Amino acid sequence: ADLHKLVFKHGRLYAWDAVLSAMVISEDGGRSFTENFTPRGLIIDFEVDPEDPELILAATDEQLFRSEDEGASWRPLQPGQGTRLAWTAPEKLYRALADGTVSVSSDGGESFEQVGKVDGEPYALDPLGPDELNMALSDGTVLHTDDGGQTWEELFRP
């Protein structure tokens, strides 16, 4: 296995396995996994709905996809270069694109509203609360917001 991201929610361990090109889910602490193939391409990020353990969003470098059955089937949602995700609350799904645009969705990724923009390419989002996130940029800079992505404070620059 080559697990690129791990998420622990709903008492389950979710991961994307690059060798299988599959979403793998364990309900027994990682002793066994179910496998469901993901859309073609490298999954660069994924998130699980905080309320629904079967609802997963996964992003390739060019497209966001949605599964409502633990990854057994997928449908395309929004196009977007370099999508990074953080689901901080049921109606707060954040998306950061490679151009620095930060948006939020209240409907599970069906639509997004731009809330801010950062200078640099987002690499990872770390949810800290409904409106509070840290963001790592591709150059190693770490940013912080506590107003839902409208403004960002620099915490670290390499």
Side-chain angles (χ1 to χ4, degrees):
D2 181 7
L3 305 179
H4 280 220
K5 181 177 179 178
L6 301 170
V7 171
F8 187 75
K9 283 187 181 174
H10 310 291
R12 298 172 171 192
L13 178 64
Y14 299 79
W16 185 71
D17 185 338
V19 172
L20 296 174
S21 192
M23 185 65 57
V24 295
I25 302 170
S26 176
E27 295 187 45
D28 60 10
R31 288 184 290 282
S32 64
F33 288 88
T34 58
E35 303 165 352
N36 286 306
F37 293 109
T38 53
R40 296 187 119 197
L42 177 68
I43 300 298
I44 61 170
D45 203 2
F46 75 90
E47 261 300 344
V48 180
D49 184 320
E51 289 189 321
D52 182 354
E54 295 191 2
L55 179 55
I56 304 169
L57 295 185
T60 65
D61 199 38
E62 297 177 358
Q63 182 76 46
L64 181 62
F65 294 88
R66 178 183 172 113
S67 175
E68 297 176 4
D69 54 12
E70 298 179 322
S73 63
W74 297 88
R75 70 177 169 89
L77 290 177
Q78 307 279 327
Q81 291 292 117
T83 298
R84 306 302 176 168
L85 301 166
W87 216 325
T88 63
E91 294 184 2
K92 296 249 177 163
L93 169 65
Y94 289 91
R95 173 184 74 173
L97 298 178
D99 68 359
T101 302
V102 179
S103 303
V104 67
S105 174
S106 61
D107 58 11
E110 297 291 338
S111 64
F112 286 89
E113 178 182 331
Q114 184 175 340
V115 291
K117 188 166 173 79
V118 298
D119 292 325
E121 180 181 358
Y123 183 76
L125 290 174
D126 182 26
L128 303 172
D131 296 313
E132 189 175 4
L133 299 137
N134 284 341
M135 177 190 295
L137 301 179
S138 60
D139 69 359
T141 300
V142 178
L143 306 174
H144 176 81
T145 183
D146 58 11
D147 62 7
Q150 294 176 41
T151 61
W152 294 86
E153 170 191 4
E154 187 176 294
L155 298 180
F156 172 80
R157 181 172 297 273

